[in-house]
Amino acid sequence: MSKSVACQPSSIITSSFISQIARKIRIVPLLVLLLSTLPVWFLREAIAPQIVQAYTARVDLAIDRLPDENYETILRRAEAVARASAQRSFDQDILVTDVSIIVSVQSYGAIAPVLALDVSRPQWRTRPDPQRWATYFKTARSLLFFEQNLTPGQTATTK
């Protein structure tokens, strides 16, 4: 059999004294908990530091065809622009590990990509040559109407 007994507060110890002790008991573990986290964090960082987040820089560039410019000249300009952009991307951000650049050309209203440059930082450091790392799009010449003779006033649709 169980017997239920209602507990009466002690008349010897006042309730204000008990609440003061309870408050101090709550503060001590809180201070210990807060002060122990800092050495634990330092220890964790010393043993296993955070990993650096590296990423790929992606750049899309567009250049315009100049009057009386042939396809080979456009390619050299595209390579120069890609080279400058790759170097700038590596110089501006030390976390960039790879660069992906696409150079498009606009010619008489037509736009087509002519080259894509995909290179990593170590590759670029050993040989900063865009011709080595670039992929050239073979159909760009015909898509940009370099095989047809257009005058500067004409567009690709009004032949």
Side-chain angles (χ1 to χ4, degrees):
M1 297 212 153
S2 66
K3 178 165 108 171
S4 105
V5 177
C7 295
Q8 296 289 328
S10 173
S11 60
I12 300 171
I13 302 175
T14 63
S15 65
S16 65
F17 179 72
I18 293 174
S19 67
Q20 288 176 355
I21 292 175
R23 192 174 303 130
K24 288 181 183 178
I25 291 174
R26 281 188 224 129
I27 291 174
V28 171
L30 180 64
L31 288 175
V32 169
L33 181 66
L34 288 176
L35 294 176
S36 67
T37 57
L38 194 58
V40 169
W41 179 78
F42 277 125
L43 182 64
R44 194 186 104 224
E45 287 298 315
I47 293 173
Q50 291 182 355
I51 298 172
V52 175
Q53 298 290 328
Y55 60 93
T56 300
R58 299 191 192 289
V59 180
D60 292 326
L61 300 171
I63 58 176
D64 291 329
R65 178 184 180 184
L66 298 176
D68 299 327
E69 189 172 31
N70 63 15
Y71 187 69
E72 286 70 30
T73 308
I74 281 281
L75 282 181
R76 298 305 147 243
R77 279 189 32 209
E79 289 168 355
V81 168
R83 183 184 194 290
S85 180
Q87 189 64 50
R88 190 177 319 113
S89 296
F90 286 130
D91 290 345
Q92 284 180 348
D93 194 351
I94 61 171
L95 296 180
V96 171
T97 56
D98 297 306
V99 171
S100 177
I101 300 170
I102 296 178
V103 180
S104 300
V105 173
Q106 181 175 355
S107 173
Y108 301 118
I111 300 173
V114 291
L115 71 87
L117 179 71
D118 294 312
V119 64
S120 68
R121 186 181 290 269
Q123 290 171 333
W124 189 256
R125 190 177 296 132
T126 59
R127 191 163 178 193
D129 181 16
Q131 290 180 344
R132 169 83 168 113
W133 311 113
T135 302
Y136 296 91
F137 299 108
K138 295 177 184 178
T139 58
R141 180 186 296 257
S142 62
L143 290 173
L144 294 170
F145 303 108
F146 275 96
E147 296 169 350
Q148 300 173 2
N149 291 330
L150 296 176
T151 61
Q154 289 181 315
T155 62
T157 56
T158 61
K159 296 187 259 182

